Amino acid sequence: MAAGKHDTAHAVPAPRPGDALIVVDVQNDFLPGGALAVPRGDEVIPVLNEWIDRFRAVGLPIVATRDWHPPDHCSFSPQGGPWPVHCVAGTHGAAFAPGLRLPPDTIVISKATRSDREAYSGFQGTELAERLREIGVRRLYVGGLATDYCVLNTVRDALREGFDVIVLRDAVRAVDVQPGDGERALAEMERLGARIV
Ligand code: VGL
Ligand code: ZN
């Protein structure tokens, strides 16, 4: 597949056994009004809700990752990091978006929980890969926030771990610190072997 050419016209494959849905960091602080708001980040919620319902209907696993920082995390500006204080563990800002219909049996993965380590990827410093393998998952459908940070890095690690990856284009939004970061991240994920649908 040509790099940078997203196959948006292609139908999304139907979820089947061996698939899991990964909802990346759909937390209050990444939504409009939050501490590190992703522009139009709230627009992913209804799209992800449809995917959640679809995976639930056929009994396939749903994973939700969350940024879950200590109050003095190294990525925060008071510590010299690039971001405002956000997603402090246990706060309202770190809670999943109230409109997200996560089922009670959602597999929740908390990441970047150590003060001295940044982790954009849901696989970094977590048991995500092992948990997925244990339940026979081989292919991941990925959506959430933000395209250019946690989605990109989660997809990169997923591919490295040997999972097939489908990125749900309508279900991701970018921070776009530099204009075009989100588009470049999608092109990079495709180059690495993800399907962008
Ligand atoms: C994220 C910036 C800082 C993300 C997390 O979830 O994409 N971005 N922490
Ligand atoms: Zn963070």
Side-chain angles (χ1 to χ4, degrees):
M1 189 182 298
K5 184 172 168 292
H6 308 138
D7 58 348
T8 43
H10 294 197
V12 186
R16 61 183 187 214
D19 290 343
L21 176 66
I22 313 280
V23 177
V24 176
D25 297 10
V26 182
Q27 296 167 268
N28 289 321
D29 272 343
F30 295 127
L31 300 178
L36 179 36
V38 176
R40 303 193 304 152
D42 53 327
E43 292 177 5
V44 305
I45 295 169
V47 184
L48 284 169
N49 279 339
E50 283 186 29
W51 281 102
I52 289 168
D53 293 347
R54 208 166 163 191
F55 271 71
R56 271 193 100 166
V58 290
L60 293 174
I62 297 165
V63 175
T65 67
R66 61 184 181 185
D67 219 24
W68 200 247
H69 297 312
D72 61 346
H73 191 253
C74 60
S75 77
F76 296 169
S77 40
Q79 275 69 45
W83 307 112
V85 174
H86 65 279
C87 295
V88 173
T91 64
H92 170 78
F96 291 121
L100 196 63
R101 286 199 294 270
L102 288 175
D105 61 350
T106 299
I107 298 169
V108 175
I109 298 289
S110 303
K111 66 183 170 62
T113 59
R114 283 180 49 160
S115 299
D116 60 341
R117 293 267 176 87
E118 178 57 302
Y120 290 130
S121 161
F123 290 92
Q124 203 179 334
T126 73
E127 315 246 281
L128 180 54
E130 294 73 25
R131 296 282 296 276
L132 292 172
R133 284 194 194 102
E134 263 165 31
I135 56 175
V137 172
R138 294 179 303 277
R139 185 169 73 171
L140 308 177
Y141 286 55
V142 182
L145 306 170
T147 316
D148 34 0
Y149 293 93
C150 289
V151 172
L152 170 63
N153 285 278
T154 298
V155 167
R156 184 184 280 143
D157 281 353
L159 292 164
R160 202 179 274 151
E161 291 279 357
F163 296 98
D164 291 329
V165 177
I166 292 173
V167 178
L168 305 169
R169 205 188 198 301
D170 292 350
V172 297
R173 290 292 183 280
V175 181
D176 278 336
V177 170
Q178 301 294 330
D181 281 354
E183 283 304 314
R184 281 188 288 276
L186 286 167
E188 173 70 0
M189 290 185 263
E190 185 168 64
R191 189 186 70 79
L192 293 170
R195 268 172 89 175
I196 317 293
V197 299

